[in-house]
Amino acid sequence: MTTATPSISFFNTLTRRKEKFTPIEKGKVQMYTCGPTVYDYAHIGNFRAFLFEDLLKRWLEYRGYTVTHVMNLTDVDDKTIRGSQKQQIPLQQYTEHYAKAFFEDSKALNIKPANHYPKATSHIPEMVALIKKLIKNGYAYKGQDGSIYYAISKFKNYGKLSHIKVAELKAGARVKTDEYTKEEAQDFALWKAWTPEDGDVFWETELGKGRPGWHIECTAMSMKYLGETFDIHCGGIDNMFPHHENEIAQSEAATGRKFVNYWLHNEHLLVEGRKMAKKLGNFYTLRDLLGKGYDPIAIRYLLLSSHYRAQFNFTFEALDAAGAAVERLRNFVRRLQDAPGKGSGGKVAELLRGVQLGFGEAADDDLNVSVALAVLFDFVREVNVLLDAGVVSRSEADEVGALMNRFDGVLGVVGKVEETETLPKEAEELIEKREAARKAKDWATADALRVRLSELGVVVEDTAQGVRWRLVKQD
RNA sequence: GCUGGGGUGGCCGAACGGUUCAGGCGACAGCCUGCAGAGCUGUUACAUAUGGGUUCAAUUCCCAUCCCCAGCUCCA
């Protein structure tokens, strides 16, 4: 038992400081995470964000919170419209394909599903209502092109999240294209008036014929599912400005209340030391890696094992290492099943206390997963020493196993290692034959059988408790 | 150009200014094993980009230089 109540702290982008986390409602957490734009297969950088959010949610749950998680799917924007036109299929058919792929990929990475996955196209009325409110409150105006824009000059706290001063924004290409329709260059579209390029993608609403802007969707949908003020909002660092800044402006102008208490942003991924870019040849979707034969759980472990606020350098060498690290954890859990059972005289109990404390303190500290894993691996080694000495009892091993299971509820990499897998009949017979050969000290036959088994994908290991087998993935 | 985040061993990555700079992976050696696997132990001789400075003490603070990345362009 811990003496002090554990308290989680997060680095809040809003204040640029680590803050103790206190939810609005005791024991409950409302979180919103910016989901994918379903115009293509998601790449590993996208998944770093989604895995960070998954870890965050799982840690909150480990600490006893009930988490309500909402992740949006952006299914109408320039890219999706262009993509569907290129393939000459309806927008919905186009986006559904990639939405389905996204869910498949998420499942492969063992990402826990969110409670809601609202789609932008299913929430047009909510967005229209919100925009009307913003017009009424004096924060929005109709431009000469018929689009509705948000007047950022009216929102005095604009820039509080990104710490960007509007006056210092560099005049970019955007100014040129829009200077005759917006009152100010940085004003952003809430509602985009239909243009011929949009084809058959439009909604006839009180705001006119058109489609919603990007930022308004997150505001409308987060409010619908989580309320006007909620606890946590996450996303990649690139979303901090302008997307999240604009969300704040929209929400707080509409409700007069604080939108989000804790903003958490994850840093980007580098690949082989460079930013991931198609032209550099280092751009990978999850599917690319799975196609190369990599284990999605190794990818999960790798992307999870470093701190979310630091840029992470993805390399294939590190991916192999991640696979080996996961295997080490699995072997450990497997070993526990064979604990012979004499009792360690309290040593295991002491290790259990220590690892829970150490792991918890690290994860509580802004999800310092690297330190948490270091604590865990120290624990694994020390218990392995006791297992080698044959002093771990059955019940002690069970306690260790239960804890590993709890930790894996957070990490999601070990999975079930009980032999629910079935051994092919053929392999079963080979193992029996090999045991007979070993008894007879006919090593040549035993070794030949071991080779044949491995060809069947069955690894046999001789331990003090007898022969053990496990299935390995066949390439 | 402006603003911000970084550069730690063969690789990936931790580290309230202070005992020998975590942990994982890899390599090598030893123990164990019939052999292997798993596991354990040890090693991987000066790993903190470079040059200064502050300090009794710097990976940590300050300055300069080089390099990488990001935001200012609806890309996690």
Side-chain angles (χ1 to χ4, degrees):
Chain A
M1 286 295 103
T2 51
T3 47
T5 319
S7 77
I8 305 181
S9 62
F10 296 125
F11 184 88
N12 190 349
T13 307
L14 214 46
T15 57
R16 306 290 154 102
R17 267 196 287 271
K18 273 188 205 172
E19 295 175 3
K20 181 173 154 46
F21 175 69
T22 310
I24 295 165
E25 191 178 341
K26 195 166 183 284
K28 292 191 177 166
V29 177
Q30 311 267 72
M31 69 184 254
Y32 185 92
T33 61
C34 285
T37 299
V38 284
Y39 74 106
D40 199 351
Y41 298 111
H43 58 68
I44 55 175
N46 298 126
F47 280 112
R48 185 194 192 188
F50 303 140
L51 282 166
F52 146 63
E53 290 152 3
D54 187 50
L55 180 71
L56 169 64
K57 175 163 74 176
R58 286 165 176 261
W59 185 249
L60 288 166
E61 287 173 347
Y62 177 96
R63 281 305 192 205
Y65 292 102
T66 302
V67 179
T68 303
H69 176 201
V70 178
M71 176 183 276
N72 68 301
L73 299 180
T74 299
D75 62 348
V76 55
D77 77 325
D78 290 346
K79 291 191 293 287
T80 47
I81 292 171
R82 209 183 306 132
S84 67
Q85 287 171 346
K86 217 171 168 182
Q87 291 189 14
Q88 301 186 314
I89 57 174
L91 179 67
Q92 193 181 342
Q93 188 185 336
Y94 178 83
T95 56
E96 269 179 7
H97 171 78
Y98 290 108
K100 185 164 168 277
F102 169 70
F103 290 123
E104 287 168 2
D105 290 351
S106 296
K107 192 174 178 194
L109 288 172
N110 198 18
I111 292 173
K112 286 180 109 175
N115 301 81
H116 304 280
Y117 289 101
K119 291 190 283 193
T121 55
S122 305
H123 295 77
I124 303 294
E126 287 86 345
M127 295 188 229
V128 170
L130 198 58
I131 293 168
K132 281 173 69 183
K133 198 166 182 183
L134 286 170
I135 294 172
K136 189 177 152 223
N137 291 359
Y139 289 92
Y141 62 92
K142 188 171 239 178
Q144 287 175 18
D145 62 343
S147 295
I148 312 288
Y149 293 96
Y150 186 100
I152 61 171
S153 60
K154 298 275 167 55
F155 186 70
K156 60 181 183 304
N157 280 331
Y158 195 83
K160 74 173 177 178
L161 178 71
S162 56
H163 295 196
I164 280 176
K165 291 183 181 65
V166 178
E168 292 173 6
L169 286 176
K170 183 187 174 187
R174 197 170 163 178
V175 176
K176 268 184 200 157
T177 53
D178 295 320
E179 64 190 338
Y180 296 113
T181 57
K182 300 180 196 172
E183 290 172 5
E184 276 189 57
Q186 291 81 17
D187 287 353
F188 58 91
L190 295 165
W191 184 259
K192 298 185 156 189
W194 182 84
T195 63
E197 295 84 66
D198 291 344
D200 60 356
V201 178
F202 62 83
W203 285 262
E204 289 281 8
T205 72
E206 296 169 59
L207 303 173
K209 177 180 177 179
R211 60 184 168 99
W214 177 39
H215 313 296
I216 197 71
E217 87 177 64
C218 286
T219 297
M221 300 193 294
S222 60
M223 275 190 196
K224 173 172 179 178
Y225 294 95
L226 299 174
E228 294 182 345
T229 302
F230 56 94
D231 298 300
I232 297 176
H233 192 134
C234 304
I237 188 78
D238 56 319
N239 278 161
M240 184 174 81
F241 187 88
H243 185 50
H244 292 160
E245 194 69 61
N246 291 348
E247 281 187 52
I248 291 174
Q250 293 165 338
S251 308
E252 302 192 354
T255 67
R257 294 186 182 176
K258 190 177 184 189
F259 178 44
V260 168
N261 286 333
Y262 301 88
W263 286 91
L264 274 60
H265 292 98
N266 66 278
E267 257 296 349
H268 279 190
L269 197 65
L270 304 180
V271 177
E272 308 285 349
R274 312 289 310 194
K275 72 170 171 184
M276 189 167 66
K278 281 177 179 159
K279 68 174 178 184
L280 294 177
N282 65 351
F283 183 95
Y284 300 106
T285 64
L286 178 67
R287 282 158 192 250
D288 292 335
L289 297 183
L290 299 185
K292 285 172 182 279
Y294 287 101
D295 177 5
I297 297 303
I299 297 167
R300 175 184 172 89
Y301 179 90
L302 181 63
L303 297 183
L304 228 46
S305 62
S306 69
H307 193 85
Y308 73 92
R309 277 193 292 114
Q311 288 180 344
F312 173 72
N313 185 20
F314 177 95
T315 64
F316 285 96
E317 206 174 350
L319 180 53
D320 290 335
V326 170
E327 202 45 44
R328 180 168 161 81
L329 293 176
R330 287 186 182 151
N331 282 331
F332 175 66
V333 173
R334 227 176 254 128
R335 269 196 98 182
L336 290 171
Q337 296 169 7
D338 293 331
K342 286 171 198 157
S344 68
K347 283 184 188 161
V348 169
E350 195 183 320
L351 290 175
L352 281 168
R353 267 195 303 276
V355 71
Q356 286 184 84
L357 206 61
F359 191 100
E361 279 178 2
D364 282 341
D365 180 16
D366 196 30
L367 295 179
N368 192 340
V369 70
S370 305
V371 170
L373 286 171
V375 170
L376 178 60
F377 278 105
D378 280 337
F379 170 77
V380 167
R381 191 186 61 250
E382 287 168 62
V383 175
N384 266 327
V385 170
L386 296 175
L387 285 167
D388 277 352
V391 297
V392 178
S393 74
R394 185 67 262 138
S395 67
E396 285 175 330
D398 287 342
E399 282 182 52
V400 174
L403 182 65
M404 290 302 289
N405 205 27
R406 255 190 101 205
F407 284 154
D408 198 49
V410 179
L411 300 172
V413 295
V414 176
K416 291 263 177 290
V417 291
E418 287 103 62
E419 268 113 81
T420 49
E421 333 169 273
T422 48
L423 194 59
K425 250 282 183 302
E426 189 188 356
E428 205 172 316
E429 285 166 14
L430 290 176
I431 288 175
E432 277 171 33
K433 276 190 194 164
R434 179 169 174 272
E435 282 306 284
R438 289 185 68 227
K439 259 193 190 125
K441 295 199 189 296
D442 179 0
W443 308 126
T445 305
D447 290 351
L449 288 167
R450 184 165 60 198
V451 170
R452 275 183 65 189
L453 279 161
S454 84
E455 283 164 5
L456 292 171
V458 180
V459 172
V460 287
E461 295 171 0
D462 306 317
T463 73
Q465 286 75 41
V467 65
R468 290 198 63 82
W469 60 269
R470 60 191 160 96
L471 301 179
V472 294
K473 260 203 280 185
Q474 303 268 50
D475 292 330

